[in-house]
């Protein structure tokens, strides 16, 4: 039971850090991806220079074109994954909206009409005072 509590606490902590520092986390993630791409690019350049005897400039050009070809080959897969993710998010959002609106309608039916009038008067008075 204690390990489960620790796991949940760490999960909540990580989610809070991501939620509250999303710009820093995203920046760090993008920087990590950039460094990974640079390392792979450098390794490919050295491999091309060693195996085929290309100059540094020629190996950079070949690496750039190979990277572009790999990107174009992976692009349909990436687009498909993004579209599927957005579709799932849309379905989940609609389902959550329906659930919450049903709960709100049920709650609205339980409130007495006189309380609606009192709440409306309070809202109008607050609006006229502060705005």
């Amino acid at each position: 039971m204690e390990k489960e509590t620790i796991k949940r606490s760490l999960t909540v902590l990580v989610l809070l850090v991501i939620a509250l520092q999303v710009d820093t986390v995203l920046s760090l993630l993008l920087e990590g991806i950039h460094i990974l791409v640079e390392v792979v690019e450098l390794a490919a350049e050295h491999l091309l220079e060693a195996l085929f005897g290309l100059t540094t400039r020629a190996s950079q050009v070949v690496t750039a074109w190979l990277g572009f070809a790999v990107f174009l080959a992976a692009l349909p897969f990436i687009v498909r994954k993004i579209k599927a993710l957005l579709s799932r998010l849309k379905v989940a959002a609609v389902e959550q909206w329906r659930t919450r609106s049903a709960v709100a309608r049920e709650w609205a039916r339980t409130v007495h009409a006189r309380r609606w009038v009192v709440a409306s008067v309070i809202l109008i008075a607050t609006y006229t005072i502060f705005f």
Side-chain angles (χ1 to χ4, degrees):
M1 189 67 178
E2 187 174 312
K3 285 187 177 185
E4 184 68 27
T5 305
I6 292 172
K7 285 181 184 179
R8 285 185 182 180
S9 300
L10 287 175
T11 304
V12 168
L13 180 65
V14 167
L15 290 176
L16 279 173
V17 167
I18 290 172
L20 298 175
Q21 298 294 327
V22 71
D23 56 338
T24 307
V25 172
L26 185 61
S27 206
L28 184 65
L29 181 67
L30 291 177
E31 190 66 29
I33 291 171
H34 182 255
I35 290 172
L36 177 68
V37 168
E38 287 293 331
V39 167
V40 170
E41 197 175 286
L42 186 64
E45 288 173 9
H46 285 297
L47 183 70
L48 288 171
E49 288 174 10
L51 288 179
F52 300 110
L54 296 175
T55 64
T56 303
R57 176 73 180 142
S59 65
Q60 287 174 348
V61 170
V62 170
T63 303
W65 281 105
L66 282 175
F68 184 64
V70 168
F71 174 72
L72 286 180
L75 192 61
F77 174 76
I78 293 169
V79 168
R80 249 192 336 262
K81 288 293 183 182
I82 290 173
K83 285 175 72 174
L85 175 70
L86 291 176
S87 175
R88 286 194 309 266
L89 283 175
K90 181 181 175 185
V91 168
V94 167
E95 185 61 34
Q96 186 176 15
W97 173 261
R98 287 183 182 152
T99 303
R100 288 187 178 210
S101 63
V103 169
R105 271 189 247 110
E106 275 302 313
W107 177 82
R109 287 189 192 115
T110 62
V111 176
H112 195 272
R114 190 175 349 159
R115 291 186 179 160
W116 283 112
V117 173
V118 170
S120 299
V121 168
I122 291 171
L123 285 174
I124 292 170
T126 305
Y127 181 77
T128 56
I129 290 171
F130 292 108
F131 298 106

